[in-house]
């Protein structure tokens, strides 16, 4: 695991401060999973196998009791073992996607119950293949129903038992926090956060009101006035405020507004401050009770959104697989270069990821972009040319029909993107952002389609589609997601606003 470089000095200019933040705070560090995480994974797989066996035996009790050995021997075959391996792999992957292979004691039971229900429901759907392939009817819809109920119960019991034994796994990605303050209050918060294994936090540094601080060299990233600048490009999952309330009320309020504008969740020790957009919720910062304010509250609807993403992306890749194969062949035979174009994009909390598209330009398109900057037709920091000379003949068709975007369903399955959300932007565009409030669009997972895509696409200016991105974040609901998904195919077929 790479070590982090020192943060930018306090007296650096704005540009140097941004670069220091990028060097010192960006990235996507993963915590080692260790034996605890593996114990949760294997125990939950065991619960799945037990539920499947019990469901199978329950619906075939008579046949099993009459001729047990012959019955079981008939069901154990290379094909069935292979299908079971594939099924358990999918099951484990789904539990990881819903955050259940890496649990935490701090998660609310209601939220965890919804996650278990969604994961078991999604994991049961592949067994419909077994229902269709079962020639004797030994595995039918009744067996599938028993399995779903058994998996729910056994998974909940298994997790309760493991939690009681104290085997809590570390987080998938280390939770990166920044502390505002440097006095005894900040010291206590730092100790509480770093000593709690359930919280799994990595403190990237401190921001204080003034330069006069007793913190070790390199731990103070800047003054409170620098907070908004630091958060613009830094990978920070949460800001913890530890300033004294009575003497620094205005400074705390200033920090809260700065975090809201940039879209980074902010946590403080008492619910006595105003909010303009973020939604407060009670929770824990390590062992300290706190109140957190975030653009989208962590509620069960987010789990349902993720379930829709997984089911929708899986169905899309299966149904569209003949088209995907045909397009891949056309791209390969009509121009030199790879079939899939993978580009760094900014995602949730400004973490970089590779976004996949069918290649629609010549192989060296990115190298040629600098020579075309003077022909940019888009207002703001984005880059768009209606008749881009780098686009291949087949690329024009793929872009007009949005077929080039279909590989992003893989990003949805991986978890980098959602079906609906703000579009992920290239690093070139984001580094040209000059206003901190623009960063609030990174407070949610980016999407394949969104509000501005169904409201004019490329006909809209930069200010308009950013406003729609923020409107989507502020007004988000499952109904809005469904509405956007239903409108997207019609917009694509009309080719309205496509470049």
């Amino acid at each position: 695991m790479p070590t982090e470089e020192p943060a930018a000095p306090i007296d650096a200019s704005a540009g140097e401060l941004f670069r220091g933040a990028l060097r010192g705070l960006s990235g996507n560090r993963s915590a080692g999973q260790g034996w605890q995480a593996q114990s949760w994974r294997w125990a939950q797989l065991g619960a799945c196998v037990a539920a499947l066996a019990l469901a199978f035996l329950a619906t075939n009790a008579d046949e099993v009791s009459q001729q047990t050995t012959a019955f079981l021997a008939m069901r154990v075959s290379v094909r069935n073992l292979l299908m079971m391996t594939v099924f358990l792999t999918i099951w484990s992957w789904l539990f990881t996607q819903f955050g259940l292979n890496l649990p935490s004691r701090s998660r609310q039971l209601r939220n965890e119950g919804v996650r278990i229900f969604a994961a078991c429901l999604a994991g049961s759907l592949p067994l419909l293949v077994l229902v269709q392939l079962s020639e004797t009817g030994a595995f039918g819809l009744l067996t599938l129903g028993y399995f779903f109920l058994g998996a729910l119960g056994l998974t909940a019991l298994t997790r309760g038992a493991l939690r009681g034994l104290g085997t809590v796994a570390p987080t998938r990605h280390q939770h990166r926090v920044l502390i505002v303050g440097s006095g005894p209050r900040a010291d206590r918060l730092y100790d509480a956060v770093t000593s709690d294994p359930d919280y799994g936090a990595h403190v990237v540094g401190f921001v204080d009101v003034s330069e006069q601080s007793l913190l070790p060299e390199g731990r103070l990233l800047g003054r409170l006035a620098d907070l908004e600048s630091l958060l613009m490009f830094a990978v920070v999952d949460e800001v913890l405020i530890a300033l004294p309330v009575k003497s620094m009320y205005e400074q705390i309020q200033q920090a809260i507004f700065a975090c809201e504008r940039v879209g980074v969740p902010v946590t403080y020790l008492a619910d006595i401050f105003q909010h303009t957009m973020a939604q407060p919720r009670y929770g824990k910062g390590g062992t300290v009770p706190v109140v957190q304010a975030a653009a989208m509250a962590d509620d069960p609807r987010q789990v349902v959104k993720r379930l829709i993403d997984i089911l929708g992306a899986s169905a899309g890749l299966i149904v569209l697989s003949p088209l995907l194969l045909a397009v891949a062949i056309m791209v390969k035979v009509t121009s030199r270069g790879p079939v899939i174009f993978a580009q760094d994009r900014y995602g949730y909390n400004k973490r970089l990821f590779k976004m996949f598209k069918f290649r629609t330009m010549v192989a060296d398109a990115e190298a040629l972009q600098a020579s075309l900057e003077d022909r940019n037709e888009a207002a703001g920091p984005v880059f768009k040319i209606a008749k881009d000379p780098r686009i291949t003949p087949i690329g024009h068709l793929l872009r007009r029909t949005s077929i080039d975007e279909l590989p992003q369903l893989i990003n949805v399955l991986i978890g980098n993107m959602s079906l609906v959300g703000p579009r992920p932007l290239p690093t070139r565009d984001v580094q040209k952002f000059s206003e901190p409030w623009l960063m609030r669009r990174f407070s949610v997972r980016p999407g394949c389609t969104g509000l501005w895509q169904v409201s004019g696409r490329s006909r809209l200016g930069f200010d308009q589609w950013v406003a729609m991105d923020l409107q989507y974040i502020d007004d988000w609901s499952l109904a809005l997601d469904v509405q956007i998904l239903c409108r997207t195919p019609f917009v694509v077929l009309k080719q309205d606003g496509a470049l």
Side-chain angles (χ1 to χ4, degrees):
M1 183 179 297
T3 57
E4 296 186 3
E5 299 179 24
I10 294 176
D11 58 351
S13 66
E16 292 171 342
L17 191 61
F18 290 164
R19 289 191 291 273
L22 281 169
R23 290 194 305 268
L25 301 181
S26 65
N28 191 0
R29 299 177 56 185
S30 300
Q33 292 189 2
W35 67 270
Q36 296 99 332
Q38 294 303 318
S39 68
W40 280 81
R41 184 186 304 275
W42 287 107
Q44 292 179 138
L45 283 175
C48 170
V49 172
L52 188 60
L54 290 174
F56 189 74
L57 293 174
T59 51
N60 297 274
D62 293 339
E63 191 174 351
V64 173
S65 63
Q66 292 173 8
Q67 206 172 2
T68 304
T69 304
F71 179 83
L72 294 179
M74 181 177 62
R75 287 339 187 244
V76 178
S77 65
V78 175
R79 187 192 73 166
N80 289 345
L81 288 176
L82 180 60
M83 293 179 65
M84 176 60 69
T85 301
V86 173
F87 167 68
L88 291 179
T89 301
I90 295 174
W91 185 271
S92 180
W93 176 79
L94 285 169
F95 268 59
T96 298
Q97 292 300 305
F98 285 102
L100 294 170
N101 277 335
L102 299 167
S104 169
R105 284 196 186 93
S106 60
R107 176 177 295 147
Q108 295 181 358
L109 291 180
R110 178 190 173 199
N111 188 302
E112 184 167 296
V114 174
R115 291 174 185 269
I116 293 173
F117 181 88
C120 289
L121 177 61
S124 299
L125 295 181
L127 292 179
L128 288 171
V129 177
L130 288 182
V131 175
Q132 297 297 319
L133 295 178
S134 180
E135 299 174 356
T136 63
F139 195 98
L141 290 176
L142 182 60
T143 310
L144 181 57
Y146 283 158
F147 166 74
F148 172 66
L149 296 176
L152 278 177
L154 290 177
T155 298
L157 289 174
T158 299
R159 292 175 65 81
L162 288 174
R163 184 171 282 111
L165 293 173
T167 55
V168 177
T171 55
R172 183 182 182 184
H173 295 301
Q174 210 165 35
H175 192 67
R176 300 168 64 83
V177 302
L178 185 150
I179 295 178
V180 177
S182 65
R185 191 180 181 88
D187 290 339
R188 289 195 298 271
L189 184 58
Y190 175 85
D191 291 339
V193 166
T194 56
S195 64
D196 186 357
D198 294 349
Y199 196 53
H202 168 69
V203 178
V204 298
F206 294 76
V207 167
D208 203 6
V209 174
S210 67
E211 299 180 11
Q212 304 300 321
S213 173
L214 300 178
L215 289 168
E217 184 178 357
R219 299 296 289 167
L220 185 65
L221 303 181
R223 296 166 296 179
L224 181 59
D226 304 322
L227 178 61
E228 199 167 296
S229 301
L230 282 167
L231 294 178
M232 278 193 68
F233 295 103
V235 177
V236 175
D237 296 304
E238 186 178 10
V239 171
L240 307 180
I241 297 180
L243 294 172
V245 178
K246 290 184 178 179
S247 60
M248 296 192 178
Y249 179 93
E250 293 297 332
Q251 290 88 337
I252 295 175
Q253 188 69 75
Q254 176 187 344
I256 291 172
F257 286 153
C259 293
E260 286 184 327
R261 284 191 293 271
V262 184
V264 175
V266 56
T267 297
Y268 44 89
L269 302 182
D271 189 14
I272 57 175
F273 298 101
Q274 302 174 12
H275 304 277
T276 57
M277 295 169 287
Q279 304 174 39
R281 66 181 177 87
Y282 292 90
K284 282 190 174 182
T287 57
V288 180
V290 297
V291 179
Q292 184 186 64
M296 281 191 180
D298 183 17
D299 61 39
R301 295 180 302 164
Q302 294 289 334
V303 182
V304 177
K305 178 180 174 69
R306 183 61 185 145
L307 176 61
I308 294 172
D309 287 342
I310 291 174
L311 297 181
S314 300
L317 288 171
I318 293 171
V319 173
L320 298 172
S321 55
L323 174 63
L324 296 174
L325 178 60
V327 172
I329 294 173
M330 286 191 293
V331 172
K332 190 64 178 176
V333 300
T334 56
S335 61
R336 180 182 59 85
V339 170
I340 297 295
F341 174 64
Q343 186 182 47
D344 283 338
R345 297 287 179 110
Y346 278 98
Y348 179 57
N349 275 352
K350 298 177 289 297
R351 281 186 166 88
L352 289 175
F353 71 97
K354 294 288 186 182
M355 192 189 78
F356 305 125
K357 298 177 65 174
F358 281 122
R359 182 175 56 81
T360 60
M361 293 186 173
V362 295
D364 56 348
E366 288 195 286
L368 295 173
Q369 181 168 324
S371 63
L372 299 172
E373 288 286 351
D374 59 336
R375 297 174 57 181
N376 185 16
E377 300 172 6
V382 295
F383 182 85
K384 290 285 184 181
I385 302 177
K387 296 181 179 180
D388 197 318
R390 300 171 298 167
I391 301 178
T392 63
I394 189 64
H396 283 290
L397 174 63
L398 297 181
R399 288 188 166 217
R400 293 291 297 177
T401 57
S402 298
I403 292 176
D404 63 315
E405 310 281 356
L406 292 179
Q408 288 161 35
L409 294 175
I410 299 173
N411 289 116
V412 176
L413 278 181
I414 294 172
N416 302 134
M417 296 177 63
S418 177
L419 291 177
V420 183
R423 285 294 294 165
L425 295 178
T427 56
R428 175 260 180 209
D429 296 354
V430 175
Q431 288 171 357
K432 289 181 176 291
F433 281 9
S434 58
E435 299 294 333
W437 61 267
L438 294 173
M439 295 300 176
R440 195 158 65 86
R441 70 189 312 279
F442 301 114
S443 62
V444 299
R445 187 180 280 119
C448 297
T449 184
L451 191 58
W452 73 268
Q453 285 92 335
V454 298
S455 305
R457 302 174 78 181
S458 296
R459 289 191 292 102
L460 299 179
F462 174 74
D463 291 339
Q464 289 175 294
W465 62 256
V466 169
M468 287 189 175
D469 282 342
L470 299 184
Q471 179 186 343
Y472 169 80
I473 294 172
D474 295 336
D475 299 338
W476 176 79
S477 68
L478 289 173
L480 179 59
D481 274 7
V482 172
Q483 178 187 352
I484 292 173
L485 285 173
C486 291
R487 291 173 59 186
T488 297
F490 298 99
V491 172
V492 171
L493 289 175
K494 287 175 60 178
Q495 300 182 8
D496 184 26
L499 278 180

